[in-house]
Amino acid sequence: MNGVTTSVILDKRIQKKDKTYAVKLRVTHNRIQKYYPINVFLTVDEWEKVHSEKPRKTYKDHLLYFNEVELKARAVVKEIHPFTFTAFEKKFNQAPRSSIDVFSAFQSYIDDLLKEGRASTSESYLCALNSLKKRQEAKRRKKLNFWDVTPDWLKEYEKWMVAEGKSRTTIGIYLRSLRTILNNAIAEGHLDRESYPFGKRKYQIPASNNKKKALTIEQIGQLVKYEPQNKYEAKARDLWLFSYLCNGVNVKDIARLKYSSISNNKIHFYRAKTERTSKHDLQEITVVLLPEIEKIIDKWGVKPIESDTYIFGIISKDDTPEQELAKVKSAIKSINKFMDRIGKNIGLPFKPTTYFARHSFATVLKRSGAPTEFIKESLGHKDLKTTEHYLDSFDDDFKESFQKKLLNF
């Protein structure tokens, strides 16, 4: 092979503080040796386990990666006539898929989200990126190539997240973020369609647990009748009820409501979640201004009333997307804190967070006989399946009442 030899070795010349050494690709030509790092660091004991007769788990992953690196190096060497280290380095480093990896693609996508003002979504992707980096660090790998993400790798990553105490919901969020990055990589030519690891007969993202997140109409009645012990409880309870009565509007959308959103005895708004992602067919959500809703606005709304003023003063006009996100998160934290106290005071067996308000709106309507299509429109969902996830399962008493109707001869 042009008088060139290649091998992956443990470079013991410099030991790190954690007792590891860099694993490197060694290329030898005319008795001259050059070493190229491959972003893996191992102890002597770990190196020996990688090269044991039957390496397992992480050690087997390392061995496969080392073999892949050496095969790639040999392929590059064969293309160089006459061989020079300069030509090798240029071609080896510029070989397809070497200039960009999963981590850099994630960061680029996060930067784009921030430029678009989508701070909340960017934060979610950053959490996924940090999780992936932590997993690779545990395997003593600093890089994650697109082609490393195989169905087996994804299964192993899922198991690792479970061991880390992550919920099925969180696991699903992280993996859907990774799936988006891989889809983008295919569109940009960094990954072959054949190497795509998601889908039937490959890897399927686990569905989240469908836990009950809705209050009964009786429990909501308890919240309405509750006498707050201070103004913080009063505001938290009222904003929770505002969300419930206004089609389950989330706190971010409550924060973005202006007095100009009110006209003809109705509140009109678009969900922030879909406003930036849906280019066409944006669905306006309309809420009838019930006396109970108007009372909450009169009590907590910012004065003086001006059309361009945010109703509840949670955010301000000059906020950056990052500042807006921080203020919304602070508002959610405050509401949940005092709703937890209220829930305990009235004997609820769970914390009635802001998330419960949205699910309660959908479930109470469903149990009242409202068509799912109407609930879908009210929530601002495009897909009926999304709406169905919001609807709480029916309890035994409800099922029994309908079963008894089978005997109403």
Side-chain angles (χ1 to χ4, degrees):
M1 195 171 63
N2 297 348
V4 182
T5 60
T6 62
S7 60
V8 175
I9 58 97
L10 186 68
D11 188 356
K12 298 180 182 178
R13 292 176 295 180
I14 300 177
Q15 187 181 50
K16 295 177 67 179
K17 290 182 180 180
D18 61 0
K19 305 297 182 183
T20 62
Y21 299 94
V23 178
K24 296 181 179 180
L25 169 70
R26 183 175 65 195
V27 179
T28 306
H29 177 59
N30 290 338
R31 298 184 180 179
I32 298 174
Q33 295 181 332
K34 287 204 172 185
Y35 298 82
Y36 304 94
I38 59 174
N39 298 309
V40 179
F41 298 85
L42 300 175
T43 64
V44 173
D45 181 57
E46 288 169 336
W47 174 259
E48 290 175 353
K49 287 180 179 178
V50 168
H51 292 87
S52 63
E53 187 175 347
K54 292 183 179 180
R56 296 183 178 181
K57 296 182 179 180
T58 301
Y59 304 115
K60 185 177 180 180
D61 290 341
H62 283 317
L63 185 60
L64 292 172
Y65 177 58
F66 299 160
N67 290 340
E68 182 181 331
V69 169
E70 193 168 1
L71 285 171
K72 176 182 170 183
R74 288 179 181 177
V76 171
V77 168
K78 286 181 180 180
E79 296 176 9
I80 302 173
H81 303 280
F83 179 86
T84 65
F85 282 108
T86 301
F88 173 81
E89 289 161 10
K90 184 177 181 180
K91 201 167 187 64
F92 185 76
N93 291 328
Q94 291 182 355
R97 304 189 284 193
S98 65
S99 60
I100 187 170
D101 63 355
V102 173
F103 295 162
S104 58
F106 249 103
Q107 190 58 58
S108 177
Y109 192 73
I110 290 168
D111 292 341
D112 288 341
L113 289 171
L114 288 171
K115 289 176 185 176
E116 295 172 12
R118 298 167 63 187
S120 180
T121 306
S122 72
E123 188 177 70
S124 175
Y125 274 81
L126 181 59
C127 289
L129 173 58
N130 289 336
S131 173
L132 290 166
K133 284 184 174 180
K134 184 177 180 182
R135 178 60 191 132
Q136 287 301 91
E137 287 171 4
K139 299 172 72 173
R140 299 191 185 281
R141 299 274 292 274
K142 290 187 176 181
K143 194 173 183 180
L144 179 61
N145 297 304
F146 290 116
W147 61 92
D148 288 334
V149 185
T150 63
D152 286 340
W153 186 94
L154 288 166
K155 291 174 185 175
E156 188 272 335
Y157 176 52
E158 180 188 332
K159 288 181 181 178
W160 176 80
M161 282 196 285
V162 170
E164 287 280 299
K166 296 290 188 291
S167 68
R168 288 175 66 88
T169 299
T170 298
I171 292 171
I173 291 171
Y174 289 177
L175 288 171
R176 283 191 291 274
S177 298
L178 176 57
R179 183 175 62 187
T180 298
I181 298 301
L182 293 186
N183 281 328
N184 290 344
I186 290 173
E188 295 167 4
H190 300 300
L191 180 67
D192 298 327
R193 171 60 65 179
E194 294 74 21
S195 301
Y196 188 63
F198 294 96
K200 291 183 178 179
R201 299 181 182 176
K202 292 185 178 182
Y203 175 82
Q204 294 187 327
I205 297 173
S208 60
N209 293 325
N210 189 24
K211 295 181 180 178
K212 293 185 177 183
K213 307 180 187 73
L215 277 67
T216 64
I217 192 67
E218 292 78 16
Q219 290 168 331
I220 292 169
Q222 287 180 279
L223 287 178
V224 172
K225 297 173 185 176
Y226 176 76
E227 290 294 334
Q229 298 179 2
N230 52 55
K231 65 178 182 180
Y232 304 107
E233 281 191 2
K235 188 170 185 179
R237 190 273 309 273
D238 287 353
L239 288 178
W240 192 100
L241 288 173
F242 183 89
S243 171
Y244 168 72
L245 293 171
C246 293
N247 296 26
V249 57
N250 63 38
V251 176
K252 182 174 184 178
D253 290 326
I254 291 176
R256 296 172 79 245
L257 288 176
K258 296 180 178 181
Y259 282 106
S260 58
S261 305
I262 303 173
S263 64
N264 300 321
N265 204 40
K266 294 185 180 72
I267 301 175
H268 308 268
F269 66 95
Y270 295 100
R271 294 185 67 196
K273 184 175 182 180
T274 58
E275 197 171 34
R276 293 191 179 99
T277 56
S278 299
K279 304 299 181 184
H280 306 286
D281 300 325
L282 277 175
Q283 184 174 340
E284 184 183 66
I285 296 176
T286 303
V287 179
V288 176
L289 195 62
L290 298 174
E292 291 80 4
I293 297 174
E294 198 167 8
K295 183 178 178 182
I296 293 172
I297 293 175
D298 290 341
K299 184 176 182 180
W300 301 108
V302 173
K303 308 295 188 297
I305 296 175
E306 296 179 2
S307 64
D308 202 34
T309 299
Y310 289 113
I311 294 175
F312 294 106
I314 296 172
I315 59 176
S316 60
K317 300 174 186 176
D318 299 326
D319 287 340
T320 64
E322 291 79 9
Q323 290 171 329
E324 181 179 312
L325 174 62
K327 289 182 177 181
V328 169
K329 290 176 72 173
S330 177
I332 293 171
K333 184 177 180 180
S334 177
I335 294 171
N336 288 342
K337 174 183 175 181
F338 291 103
M339 285 302 295
D340 182 26
R341 294 185 185 180
I342 294 171
K344 289 176 180 176
N345 289 340
I346 63 176
L348 294 182
F350 45 76
K351 299 178 182 179
T353 64
T354 56
Y355 205 50
F356 275 75
R358 185 166 176 80
H359 284 261
S360 297
F361 162 78
T363 300
V364 169
L365 275 188
K366 182 65 176 177
R367 294 186 175 192
S368 300
T372 305
E373 279 288 350
F374 168 72
I375 300 171
K376 167 181 168 291
E377 179 183 312
S378 301
L379 290 169
H381 289 160
K382 283 192 172 184
D383 190 347
L384 200 59
K385 288 183 179 179
T386 307
T387 308
E388 289 169 350
H389 283 306
Y390 273 78
L391 300 176
D392 198 358
S393 57
F394 297 109
D395 56 33
D396 291 340
D397 290 342
F398 190 89
K399 293 175 183 176
E400 185 180 350
S401 67
F402 273 88
Q403 283 179 300
K404 286 181 178 178
K405 289 183 180 180
L406 296 173
L407 300 173
N408 289 343
F409 302 125

